[in-house]
Structures are given as C-alpha cells and as structure tokens.
Amino acid sequence: MERTLIAHLPQAIGQKVKIQGFLHTLRDQKTMQFLILRDRSGMVQVAFYKKANPELAEQISRLTNESVLTITGTVVENPIVKLGGLEVQLETLTVESLAEAPLPLDPTAEVLPSLDYRLDWRFLDMRRAPVTAFFEIQTTLEMAFREYWLQHGFVEIHSPKLMGSASESGAELFEVQYFDTKAYLAQSPQFYKQMAMAAGFERVFEIGPVFRADPSFTSRHMTEFTGLDMEMSYIESHEDVMRFLENMLHYVYQRVAEKHAAAIEAHFGVQLEVPSVPFPRIPMAEAVEILKREGYTLPPEKKGDIDPGGERTLAQFVRREYNHDFFFLTDWPWTVRPFYHMRHPDRPDLTRSFDLIAKGTEIVTGAQREHRYPILREQAIEKGLSLEPIQFYLDFFRYGCPPHGGFGLGLSRLMMVMLNLPNIREAVFLFRGPNRLHP
Ligand code: ATP
C-alpha cells in the first residue's frame, strides 16, 4: 500500500491508509490507546481498542516516544479530536525503529534545555515544529532569491572554495594542507564573481559556503556560513546595486509572506512586514553625526567604522524617523574598505560602498568595484598588499572589463533578522564556531 501523508488524511475519510512517522506521544488508557503520530506534514491521532487484540495492545504499551512506526488503519471523522477532527483506527503496526529511552532531548518538551545542549543533539532539536518550519521558510527564501535573479538575466556560478591565495586579506583565513603545499578556504567568492564580469557574463550569482577563521563568540558570527553573492556589470555607481538589492529583498519578503506568514506568526511570534522601497540611505559621515546627536559614543579604535552598538542605535533612529527596519549605510571611508572598492572621483577618501543594516544587524556588504587596472593596482599597493599572490586577480582587469559592482549577503543573518531569532546558532542547519565542529 502507498504511504499517505498525514496532511492528506482529510481527503481519505472512510478509506484504509498507510501512515508512517515518529510516535509523538502515547496515551495508554484502560480500554483505549491513543498514539499521536508525526510526519513532516503534521500530526494525527491513531486509536486502538485494546480488546480487539490484547497482544498488539501490549506491544503498543511498550512503545517509546520518538520510535518510528508504520501504521495501517481506517480514517474516520471524529469531531471531538482536536487534531483535525479525524483519527485513524489502527489495524496493523510495524515498529521500524524503536527509540531508546530516556531521550537525551525530548522534542515534545515545553521547556527547552540550553542552546549549546540543543546543538549537541541537533537532530532531536530539529524534530520540533518551529525548527522544521524554519527550514521550510529558508527554502522558500532561497527559491525567491533564485527566481528574482533568473527573472533579471543572472547566471549561476559555483566558484572553488580551495584557493591558492587569500581572497581579500590574510586575516580570518583557514589554511589547509594541500598535498605538499598550502591552500586556503575561500573567505568569499569575491575574486571569482569579478572574474565572471571580466569574462563578459554581465550578471552572476552564487549561493555557497564561506569560511572565516574568526575566533569571536558573538551571536552573529560563524566560521562557516552560506553566502548569497551577486555581481552585475554596466552599473553607474553603487546606487544601482542598492536599488537592485532593495527590490530583490522586497520580492523575497513578499514570497515568504505569501507562503509562510501564518507559520511565522505561530512559531516565531513575528508579523512579517514586507519592507517598502526605497530603503533609507545614510552616508557614513551623516551616520556619525546622527550617533553624536543620539548620544552614542563610537569606540576610538573603530575610527571610520561603526561598531555593532552604533548600528543598533542607528537602527532605532531609522525606525523612529523612517518607520523602517532596513537602511543602507553608504560611502564608507577608504581606510576601512578593501582595496578593490571604487573611490568617489571627487572624494578619494570615500568609497562607493554600502552595508545594509536590518533591525540593527549588518546583513550585506556591497560596492562598486574598481575595474580600471592601473588604479586597482595602485590601490592594492596603497593598502600594503604584496602584488604577487593577487596578480592572477589583477590580470582579470588587463584585457577589458566592464564597470561592475555587487554584494555578499549572509543567509543565516537574514533568516535571524526575519524571524527575530536571538542567536545565529539557531538560524543554521549545523553551527560551526571556534569551539564547535560536531556534530
Ligand atoms: P561583520 O562586520 O559582521 O563581521 P563582515 O563585514 O566581515 O561582517 P562581509 O565580509 O562584508 O562581512 O560579508 C558579507 C556578509 O556575510 C555580511 O554582511 C554578513 O551577512 C555575512 N557574514 C560575514 N561574516 C559572517 C560570519 N562570520 N558569520 C555569519 N555571517 C557572516
């Protein structure tokens, strides 16, 4: 017999079905047994009249929570059953996998253990409905990004994650043994998506892993994360990239809201707001003035940069003044940006770059890139880089390269912001950090 998903049982009233899933709970009463079975689509009550088969009743009594069962039975309407007003009357039962008891983490428990403990037992933690919902939402979100890119003429690339030299700076780089030499794990697809511009692709995107040897223990950093990156040619300035990004996020939020607004409210207590466009734009110089007025003092060592506390203060200001969760911080000082960011022609101390801040957290960095070889080379020298290891990259710009720009967005950062999660460790399938390489 073919398996029926629990969500499809209302269309099978009166029929015999086969259902499969985890035993969520068992209520063993005097004359009746009620099993709540859970599959990826939902939960259903299965009822068994003990006298019908005392031997089977005994087998059911011995079942442990979270065991995997195959059940056949007849679907009957029963208005007093809270779960969908129906139940399955059990005819046969096969135990596919008996769960050991006690469970190290009970997915049905009201009170959760610490996050760290939950990550140790992540596969059990992920049996909880909000976690399942999280990944359904993330799947829609990624699909919406892809849809938008494809609607706008983008081509997908997969750049290598093993590199012979650093992509941006030597910092935050994981070194790996590579036969009798050294390789590095890619800190971003930056160089390669720009290579695609030099190759004439005009518009590319990549969704892939990014590695950062960042030893910090914040609630928004991981040593491995999924980056959503894009690069587009024939732009006039970083403004074109920001416009593309805000329209894309508007589309993505709309798609997620269409499909998951109710689940997001139920599981995360968030009323999803589709952000209006355009997003506010605040040049860095103005941001520093706003922070002064708001009474926020930037740490002196962050000269030219804005620290996370400053980003949160600006976010409160933007919420108050513009009624918006998102804003662009634009025109960052050259001193705090990488060598490949383009400078303003009339203000060489500033770059044509931006960060996107969402609910006080940075989720994107983008810029127009310097595509003119002699200037790019000079900028690398000015930043004190040795040219030899990046010459392969500089070569991209020697034989004709369109003006271009793009950005990198952290998938988990966006999910965290969208669902108001307090920690990025909950916004990823498996967290990787300085102290966590397992499971
Ligand atoms: P931060 O200042 O927060 O450390 P960054 O400036 O180093 O971030 P970028 O190099 O600009 O980040 O990377 C682009 C995007 O990738 C960021 O805006 C963020 O969404 C995401 N990101 C960067 N580092 C991490 C990380 N360690 N863990 C998770 N996501 C990250």
Side-chain angles (χ1 to χ4, degrees):
M1 194 192 295
E2 254 192 59
R3 178 183 181 216
T4 302
L5 277 181
I6 288 170
H8 297 159
L9 291 177
Q11 287 95 57
I13 304 278
Q15 292 170 26
K16 194 167 163 176
V17 293
K18 175 167 107 181
I19 54 176
Q20 295 181 298
F22 292 100
L23 178 62
H24 191 73
T25 53
L26 168 68
R27 267 189 299 136
D28 206 343
Q29 296 179 348
K30 215 162 164 196
T31 55
M32 294 291 297
Q33 286 167 320
F34 297 102
L35 303 84
I36 304 295
L37 198 75
R38 185 185 77 236
D39 72 10
R40 67 184 151 90
S41 72
M43 296 200 272
V44 67
Q45 173 166 300
V46 179
F48 185 60
Y49 180 56
K50 283 170 139 178
K51 280 216 175 114
N53 182 342
E55 218 173 290
L56 180 53
E58 207 150 287
Q59 195 193 354
I60 291 173
S61 294
R62 286 195 303 270
L63 288 176
T64 46
N65 280 358
E66 298 299 311
S67 292
V68 174
L69 310 176
T70 297
I71 287 170
T72 64
T74 304
V75 189
V76 294
E77 234 167 337
N78 185 348
I80 59 167
V81 178
K82 281 199 206 104
L83 276 174
L86 58 79
E87 66 183 9
V88 173
Q89 289 176 342
L90 187 143
E91 286 162 29
T92 69
L93 168 94
T94 311
V95 181
E96 305 292 350
S97 162
L98 190 69
E100 287 180 31
L103 294 160
L105 187 154
D106 181 358
T108 66
E110 298 260 319
V111 181
L112 292 175
S114 74
L115 179 54
D116 219 39
Y117 185 80
R118 280 167 52 203
L119 298 189
D120 287 340
W121 293 99
R122 183 64 165 153
F123 71 97
L124 291 175
D125 185 51
M126 290 202 286
R127 290 186 192 174
R128 297 186 306 111
V131 188
T132 313
F134 174 94
F135 289 101
E136 285 165 3
I137 297 161
Q138 180 175 279
T139 301
T140 300
L141 178 125
E142 277 189 69
M143 183 199 66
F145 271 101
R146 266 175 213 283
E147 276 172 2
Y148 197 82
W149 275 319
L150 296 180
Q151 285 161 15
H152 290 82
F154 280 70
V155 165
E156 183 167 11
I157 58 167
H158 299 285
S159 62
K161 303 306 157 202
L162 283 168
M163 301 179 73
S165 58
S167 51
E168 310 216 359
S169 68
E172 298 192 348
L173 207 56
F174 282 116
E175 196 178 277
V176 292
Q177 190 65 36
Y178 194 69
F179 304 110
D180 51 4
T181 179
K182 296 248 182 292
Y184 304 93
L185 295 180
Q187 282 171 301
S188 100
Q190 187 59 37
F191 284 4
Y192 297 121
K193 53 184 186 158
Q194 287 192 261
M195 189 185 104
M197 298 301 99
F201 284 28
E202 293 193 17
R203 295 180 157 210
V204 298
F205 73 93
E206 172 163 1
I207 302 180
V210 177
F211 301 93
R212 301 275 169 99
D214 181 345
S216 60
F217 292 90
T218 75
S219 56
R220 46 177 216 295
H221 286 95
M222 303 190 275
T223 49
E224 178 180 350
F225 64 91
T226 300
L228 286 87
D229 271 87
M230 61 158 263
E231 209 64 27
M232 60 197 280
S233 284
Y234 301 108
I235 59 167
E236 282 179 13
S237 76
H238 54 322
E239 177 56 36
D240 292 334
V241 183
M242 289 189 278
R243 205 174 311 122
F244 190 90
L245 172 57
E246 65 196 356
N247 285 326
M248 179 157 68
L249 282 172
H250 178 82
Y251 176 83
V252 166
Y253 267 68
Q254 230 166 13
R255 294 291 276 157
V256 170
E258 276 162 26
K259 221 170 157 183
H260 303 287
I264 290 175
E265 174 133 35
H267 295 301
F268 302 95
V270 173
Q271 281 181 325
L272 195 64
E273 214 182 289
V274 177
S276 59
V277 284
F279 298 173
R281 287 146 168 75
I282 307 179
M284 278 293 279
E286 198 182 313
V288 171
E289 289 308 312
I290 293 168
L291 286 176
K292 266 191 210 149
R293 284 205 304 275
E294 297 286 306
Y296 186 84
T297 313
L298 284 166
E301 74 276 9
K302 284 269 181 179
K303 198 163 170 22
D305 204 346
I306 289 188
D307 68 331
E311 287 171 353
R312 283 194 294 274
T313 306
L314 286 169
Q316 284 157 13
F317 168 84
V318 169
R319 186 80 238 182
R320 202 174 69 223
E321 297 293 317
Y322 299 95
N323 194 27
H324 217 291
D325 277 338
F326 292 78
F327 69 96
F328 288 111
L329 267 178
T330 68
D331 306 330
W332 288 65
W334 156 252
T335 49
V336 296
R337 291 309 233 198
F339 75 97
Y340 54 80
H341 281 195
M342 186 182 272
R343 294 158 117 155
H344 277 288
D346 50 339
R347 283 292 303 273
D349 57 325
L350 299 181
T351 54
R352 290 184 157 183
S353 69
F354 64 85
D355 275 10
L356 177 64
I357 315 293
K359 291 187 190 160
T361 299
E362 178 206 316
I363 62 165
V364 182
T365 295
Q368 178 167 16
R369 326 297 186 182
E370 183 51 71
H371 63 285
R372 297 160 296 184
Y373 176 67
I375 301 175
L376 183 61
R377 193 172 177 281
E378 275 314 305
Q379 291 193 173
I381 293 169
E382 198 180 324
K383 286 275 183 193
L385 299 183
S386 56
L387 297 187
E388 210 248 334
I390 56 163
Q391 192 54 52
F392 79 97
Y393 166 72
L394 296 175
D395 284 347
F396 301 158
F397 307 95
R398 290 171 64 197
Y399 308 99
C401 183
H404 63 277
F407 64 78
L409 177 154
L411 176 62
S412 294
R413 290 259 181 111
L414 177 59
M415 289 299 293
M416 186 181 156
V417 162
M418 181 181 262
L419 303 179
N420 277 358
L421 296 172
N423 197 311
I424 203 162
R425 290 165 179 76
E426 295 197 61
V428 63
F429 186 67
L430 282 174
F431 171 71
R432 285 289 176 262
N435 283 349
R436 189 172 277 282
L437 281 170
H438 295 287

